[in-house]
Amino acid sequence: MFVLFCDKMNPGKILYVLAEHLGSQGSPQQQQGICLCYLRRPQWRVFRFFATPGRMALTNYIGQSVFGMLRFYGIGLGLGAAVGLVYVVLIAAGVWIVQALFSSVWLYYCQFGPLEWIWRMLTYGKLFKLVKERKG
Protein backbone atom coordinates (compact mmCIF):
# COMPACT_ATOMS: atom_id res chain seq x y z
CA MET A 1 0.00 0.00 0.00
CA PHE A 2 2.90 2.35 0.76
CA VAL A 3 4.23 1.96 -2.79
CA LEU A 4 0.93 3.13 -4.28
CA PHE A 5 1.28 6.57 -2.70
CA CYS A 6 5.00 7.11 -3.32
CA ASP A 7 4.61 8.70 -6.74
CA LYS A 8 2.12 11.30 -5.45
CA MET A 9 4.05 12.48 -2.38
CA ASN A 10 7.11 14.60 -1.83
CA PRO A 11 10.16 12.94 -0.21
CA GLY A 12 9.39 14.46 3.20
CA LYS A 13 5.89 12.98 3.18
CA ILE A 14 7.28 9.58 2.12
CA LEU A 15 9.73 9.61 5.04
CA TYR A 16 6.92 10.69 7.37
CA VAL A 17 4.68 7.80 6.28
CA LEU A 18 7.58 5.35 6.53
CA ALA A 19 8.51 6.57 10.04
CA GLU A 20 4.88 6.38 11.10
CA HIS A 21 4.60 2.82 9.78
CA LEU A 22 7.82 1.64 11.43
CA GLY A 23 6.87 3.33 14.68
CA SER A 24 3.43 1.79 14.99
CA GLN A 25 2.63 -1.23 12.86
CA GLY A 26 6.12 -2.55 12.32
CA SER A 27 7.27 -2.44 15.92
CA PRO A 28 5.89 -5.77 17.24
CA GLN A 29 7.27 -7.70 14.28
CA GLN A 30 10.62 -5.93 14.51
CA GLN A 31 10.87 -6.63 18.23
CA GLN A 32 10.01 -10.29 17.69
CA GLY A 33 12.65 -10.56 14.98
CA ILE A 34 15.28 -8.98 17.22
CA CYS A 35 14.35 -11.34 20.07
CA LEU A 36 14.63 -14.35 17.77
CA CYS A 37 18.04 -13.17 16.57
CA TYR A 38 19.17 -12.76 20.16
CA LEU A 39 17.94 -16.23 21.11
CA ARG A 40 19.81 -17.79 18.20
CA ARG A 41 22.99 -15.67 18.31
CA PRO A 42 23.44 -13.98 21.72
CA GLN A 43 27.18 -13.61 21.09
CA TRP A 44 26.74 -11.05 18.30
CA ARG A 45 28.57 -7.82 19.14
CA VAL A 46 25.61 -5.68 18.13
CA PHE A 47 23.70 -6.91 21.18
CA ARG A 48 26.51 -5.70 23.47
CA PHE A 49 26.33 -2.32 21.75
CA PHE A 50 22.62 -2.13 22.54
CA ALA A 51 23.17 -3.37 26.11
CA THR A 52 25.52 -0.59 27.21
CA PRO A 53 22.95 2.23 26.99
CA GLY A 54 20.60 0.01 29.00
CA ARG A 55 23.14 -0.22 31.80
CA MET A 56 23.09 3.59 31.94
CA ALA A 57 19.36 4.00 31.40
CA LEU A 58 18.79 6.72 34.01
CA THR A 59 21.76 8.79 32.81
CA ASN A 60 20.70 8.44 29.18
CA TYR A 61 17.05 9.24 29.94
CA ILE A 62 17.94 12.41 31.83
CA GLY A 63 20.49 13.31 29.14
CA GLN A 64 17.90 12.93 26.38
CA SER A 65 15.39 14.98 28.35
CA VAL A 66 17.86 17.81 28.95
CA PHE A 67 19.02 17.77 25.32
CA GLY A 68 15.45 17.79 24.03
CA MET A 69 14.45 20.58 26.39
CA LEU A 70 17.40 22.73 25.36
CA ARG A 71 16.92 21.97 21.65
CA PHE A 72 13.17 22.18 21.24
CA TYR A 73 11.71 24.34 24.01
CA GLY A 74 11.86 28.07 24.56
CA ILE A 75 14.45 27.93 27.33
CA GLY A 76 16.99 26.75 24.75
CA LEU A 77 16.97 27.10 20.99
CA GLY A 78 13.17 26.89 20.75
CA LEU A 79 13.10 24.85 17.55
CA GLY A 80 10.12 22.66 18.51
CA ALA A 81 7.60 23.82 15.93
CA ALA A 82 10.17 24.68 13.27
CA VAL A 83 11.60 21.17 12.97
CA GLY A 84 9.69 18.61 10.92
CA LEU A 85 9.07 14.99 11.93
CA VAL A 86 11.79 13.62 9.68
CA TYR A 87 14.39 15.85 11.30
CA VAL A 88 13.12 14.97 14.77
CA VAL A 89 13.59 11.27 13.97
CA LEU A 90 17.09 11.94 12.61
CA ILE A 91 17.99 14.05 15.65
CA ALA A 92 16.67 11.35 17.99
CA ALA A 93 18.68 8.65 16.17
CA GLY A 94 21.79 10.83 16.31
CA VAL A 95 21.34 11.52 20.02
CA TRP A 96 20.85 7.81 20.70
CA ILE A 97 23.98 6.85 18.73
CA VAL A 98 26.06 9.47 20.59
CA GLN A 99 24.69 8.22 23.91
CA ALA A 100 25.40 4.59 22.98
CA LEU A 101 28.99 5.45 22.10
CA PHE A 102 29.36 7.52 25.28
CA SER A 103 27.90 4.65 27.32
CA SER A 104 30.35 2.19 25.79
CA VAL A 105 33.34 4.38 26.58
CA TRP A 106 32.09 5.28 30.06
CA LEU A 107 31.38 1.66 31.03
CA TYR A 108 34.79 0.60 29.76
CA TYR A 109 36.33 2.66 32.59
CA CYS A 110 33.53 2.70 35.17
CA GLN A 111 31.24 0.16 36.80
CA PHE A 112 28.09 2.28 36.67
CA GLY A 113 26.73 5.30 34.90
CA PRO A 114 27.13 8.56 36.84
CA LEU A 115 23.47 8.88 37.87
CA GLU A 116 23.16 5.13 38.47
CA TRP A 117 26.18 5.39 40.79
CA ILE A 118 24.56 8.22 42.77
CA TRP A 119 21.23 6.38 42.86
CA ARG A 120 22.92 3.20 44.11
CA MET A 121 24.76 5.06 46.89
CA LEU A 122 21.53 6.76 48.00
CA THR A 123 19.67 3.45 47.92
CA TYR A 124 22.20 1.41 49.91
CA GLY A 125 23.51 4.25 52.05
CA LYS A 126 27.17 3.52 51.42
CA LEU A 127 29.95 4.56 49.07
CA PHE A 128 30.63 2.44 45.96
CA LYS A 129 33.69 2.60 43.74
CA LEU A 130 32.87 4.16 40.41
CA VAL A 131 36.07 3.47 38.49
CA LYS A 132 36.94 -0.12 37.61
CA GLU A 133 40.17 -1.53 38.95
CA ARG A 134 42.49 -2.44 36.08
CA LYS A 135 44.71 -5.50 36.31
CA GLY A 136 48.29 -5.37 35.17
Side-chain angles (χ1 to χ4, degrees):
M1 183 169 190
F2 174 70
V3 176
L4 296 175
F5 297 107
C6 286
D7 60 340
K8 298 177 185 175
M9 294 185 206
N10 63 25
K13 184 69 172 176
I14 292 170
L15 289 174
Y16 174 81
V17 170
L18 184 61
E20 185 178 54
H21 173 74
L22 291 176
S24 60
Q25 299 163 346
S27 290
Q29 292 84 11
Q30 292 165 355
Q31 293 169 3
Q32 291 168 359
I34 291 169
C35 289
L36 286 174
C37 286
Y38 178 74
L39 290 173
R40 293 180 185 261
R41 302 276 192 270
Q43 70 276 13
W44 282 356
R45 295 191 76 188
V46 69
F47 293 120
R48 280 185 267 152
F49 181 72
F50 284 107
T52 53
R55 289 183 53 204
M56 291 179 51
L58 180 61
T59 300
N60 287 328
Y61 173 74
I62 298 298
Q64 286 175 5
S65 298
V66 169
F67 175 81
M69 185 175 57
L70 294 175
R71 175 91 167 114
F72 297 113
Y73 291 110
I75 62 170
L77 297 175
L79 298 175
V83 178
L85 178 64
V86 173
Y87 293 112
V88 169
V89 170
L90 292 174
I91 291 168
V95 168
W96 190 89
I97 289 169
V98 167
Q99 286 185 320
L101 293 171
F102 172 76
S103 298
S104 296
V105 171
W106 182 274
L107 291 173
Y108 180 79
Y109 295 104
C110 301
Q111 297 182 47
F112 315 105
L115 295 180
E116 288 76 13
W117 177 63
I118 294 169
W119 188 265
R120 183 175 287 252
M121 288 191 305
L122 291 173
T123 300
Y124 292 106
K126 62 181 183 177
L127 186 64
F128 288 95
K129 288 185 180 178
L130 179 62
V131 179
K132 292 180 182 177
E133 293 181 12
R134 295 284 172 202
K135 296 179 181 177

